[in-house]
Amino acid sequence: MSEPTTNALPIVLIHGLWMTARSWDRWVEHYRAKGHEVFVPTYPGFEIEVEALRERPEVIAEASVPATLDHLTEVVESLDRPPIIMGHSFGGTFTQLLVNRGLGAAAVVIDSAPPEGVRVNPPAQIKSLFPVLKNPANRHRAVGFTKEQFHYAFANTVSREESDAAYDRLHIPAPGSWVWSYGLTANWRPGHQETWVDYDLDDRAPLLFIIGGKDHLMPPSVIRSNAKKYRNSEATTETYEFPDRSHFTGVEPGWEQVADYALEWATSHART
């Protein structure tokens, strides 16, 4: 493995819901081989292994967005210089919130869940989230997918056998309160919520939205609507679509293309 070079920016990778830091394992190895220091912070309480988290759903149910954001902020601010920040799914929300705090040299969000203000909810997304939203009591629970639901929401471009293997290795329940509060009701409650960002901010890191063209959980229309919110900002905001990829784009075959595009874009656009 290559030693980090003096000009290689550090990279922070932030996972999303129904996943842990384990979902980034291949990216960590890939980027370290290119000479980057890579950090994969998890949510407070999620430091234990996937199998242990499945046995302790209360840790997941009690997770807090503000506490998680503060923890991620501490990680980023502790580095010697501003890193490239990359986030997948709800990790993309956290990435946008970190950028809004003035952090990062460049940022890439992959299949990002949107911050407050994006009101596009296509049918595939509603179907994907229905296992959580069908019961209001889930607001107080950790809620997982079945293997069939996971295949539809996450890994619809791979075989059921491949999807089931990924489920066994990576899947954990998600905090139902996050899906209800930030995926359903945030746009209809008065005042700014915990996932509000200043879309018009000019002094921020460049931001790339990577879109999975066959993503059911965060379909292209959701991502494009999110990116369009930044249209009044003078800071760089771009989108790039991989047309045949699902929400599981960072793990399914061909993930290297996504990882390399994200890194090349971030490196070439990073603030110095």
Side-chain angles (χ1 to χ4, degrees), residues 4-269:
T5 59
T6 55
N7 62 345
L9 288 170
I11 300 172
V12 174
L13 302 173
I14 305 173
H15 67 84
L17 300 186
W18 294 285
M19 294 282 125
T20 72
R22 185 185 285 184
S23 60
W24 289 114
D25 283 354
R26 292 173 177 173
W27 288 52
V28 171
E29 183 178 352
H30 191 65
Y31 286 160
R32 286 178 177 165
K34 294 178 179 292
H36 294 266
E37 288 186 289
V38 185
F39 303 87
V40 194
T42 192
Y43 307 168
F46 285 43
E47 297 85 3
I48 57 180
E49 289 294 334
V50 167
E51 295 76 13
L53 272 171
R54 291 171 182 159
E55 299 299 319
R56 298 185 61 191
E58 69 278 3
V59 172
I60 299 169
E62 295 168 2
S64 156
V65 165
T68 303
L69 179 59
D70 287 345
H71 170 67
L72 296 172
T73 298
E74 290 175 5
V75 170
V76 172
E77 289 182 335
S78 71
L79 302 180
D80 292 338
R81 53 181 172 153
I84 294 168
I85 307 173
M86 298 186 188
H88 174 254
S89 198
F90 209 96
T93 307
F94 281 127
T95 298
Q96 293 181 66
L97 291 166
L98 291 168
V99 166
N100 192 68
R101 290 186 171 190
L103 301 175
V108 180
V109 294
I110 303 155
D111 307 328
S112 181
E116 181 183 344
V118 177
R119 293 182 169 86
V120 176
N121 298 109
Q125 183 181 53
I126 294 171
K127 180 178 178 180
S128 296
L129 294 175
F130 185 71
V132 182
L133 300 176
K134 67 181 180 181
N135 185 352
N138 285 337
R139 287 179 292 181
H140 310 291
R141 299 170 176 165
V143 187
F145 289 126
T146 64
K147 288 186 176 181
E148 180 179 1
Q149 292 163 347
F150 180 85
H151 187 222
Y152 179 84
F154 262 77
N156 51 292
T157 56
V158 302
S159 70
R160 178 63 186 271
E161 182 180 10
E162 291 173 290
S163 176
D164 287 357
Y167 179 98
D168 289 338
R169 181 172 179 271
L170 299 172
H171 173 268
I172 62 167
S177 62
W178 293 23
V179 180
W180 273 85
S181 296
Y182 310 117
L184 183 66
T185 64
N187 291 326
W188 313 111
R189 296 200 302 269
H192 295 319
Q193 310 303 314
E194 288 92 346
T195 57
W196 178 84
V197 300
D198 180 1
Y199 292 110
D200 296 339
L201 187 67
D202 294 325
D203 186 17
R204 63 159 172 83
L207 178 61
L208 171 68
F209 287 82
I210 288 183
I211 303 166
K214 294 185 177 179
D215 190 337
H216 284 165
L217 190 58
M218 293 298 158
S221 60
V222 175
I223 309 300
R224 294 190 187 282
S225 180
N226 187 169
K228 190 177 179 180
K229 290 286 184 181
Y230 290 96
R231 62 187 178 276
N232 293 326
S233 170
E234 293 183 2
T236 299
T237 307
E238 294 184 4
T239 61
Y240 186 85
E241 181 172 341
F242 288 88
D244 296 321
R245 303 192 70 78
S246 70
H247 195 68
F248 214 39
T249 191
V251 181
E252 66 182 302
W255 61 268
E256 298 93 340
Q257 287 180 284
V258 184
D260 287 342
Y261 187 90
L263 181 60
E264 289 166 9
W265 188 95
T267 300
S268 64
H269 288 83

